[in-house]
Amino acid sequence: MHLAIRDVTKTYSNGVRALRGVTLDIPRGMYGLLGPNGAGKSTLMRTIATLQDPDTGSITLDEQGAASPHLIDVVREKDRVRRTLGYLPQEFGVYPNVSAERLLDHFAVLEGFTQHLERSRVVESLLRQTNLWDVRRERLGGYSGGMRQRFGIAVALLGGPSLIIVDEPTAGLDPAERVRFLNLLSELGEQAVVILSTHIVEDVAELCSRMAVINKGQILIEAEPLAAIAAL
Ligand code: ADP
Ligand code: ADP
């Protein structure tokens, strides 16, 4: 599994050049994208997640082990990408009066789990993995920020994704919940490409095996975290 980003540019209609020729090779595991507010992180994450098109450049996902051909053109084959993508946006829309169990079950139906027994097994295993089993029947509106983020992970994991994108996930989490959440993410890196976008140096330093620093739409550094942070 491997994501190849080649010379991607994006200029918004107001003239802001959000991405100015981004080239990156992202292997399996946890990959950090570090940059200040306005650097272009969300634009790049949304582009990889097929939610917006770049002006120029290409993005290719090499999904080893899947049915051939292995190469997916992320910009042109959105349906194929979406089948293998788990995306946790910055703001996860919450349905305050529904329980986690009911909403996850609903998303599982949409994901194609039509058999009741199989679906309840999948839902249970995701709620346990994200440590939400004990609170599964409570309304989402009563969840803490950390619990909501973990619920977002459960939803993102439904289809067994090989590409997981997490945009600024630790904003607003307290320290204990942040550690719990990051540990959960690093487990996922064993089976997928996980891209973690953040403006918090510690998030990438602790967990990512590689990282890039982005500023003003350009990649400044691409290295292992220790080397990259030393160069900042
Ligand atoms: P980050 O996620 O690193 O904060 P963004 O990708 O959100 O960066 O934004 C990069 C730049 O593009 C910023 O200057 C931002 O104001 C601008 N921008 C982001 N989204 C839009 C949009 N939809 N229309 C116009 N400008 C945008
Ligand atoms: P933090 O204090 O770090 O923000 P949380 O409030 O998110 O932590 O939850 C801490 C742990 O307690 C979590 O594992 C969560 O599942 C559990 N928990 C939180 N609120 C409730 C609740 N109302 N009922 C049962 N368990 C809860």
Side-chain angles (χ1 to χ4, degrees), residues 130-135 138 142-148 150 173-178 180:
T130 51
N131 203 15
L132 292 171
W133 181 248
D134 294 342
V135 293
E138 290 177 27
Y143 274 24
S144 69
M147 293 161 81
R148 279 206 289 273
R150 281 184 277 135
L173 301 192
D174 68 35
E177 185 59 81
R178 178 177 158 272
R180 192 180 299 132

Side-chain angles (χ1 to χ4, degrees), residues 31-34 204-205 208-213 221-225 228-229:
Y31 192 93
L33 182 68
L34 179 71
V204 287
C208 296
S209 35
R210 253 192 118 72
M211 64 172 282
V213 178
I221 304 164
E222 208 283 326
E224 290 173 4
I229 289 161

Side-chain angles (χ1 to χ4, degrees), residues 4-10 19-24 54-59:
I5 302 171
R6 292 289 174 271
D7 217 13
V8 165
T9 66
K10 177 74 182 181
L19 298 174
R20 300 192 284 168
V22 170
T23 292
L24 283 176
D55 296 333
T56 61
S58 69
I59 305 176

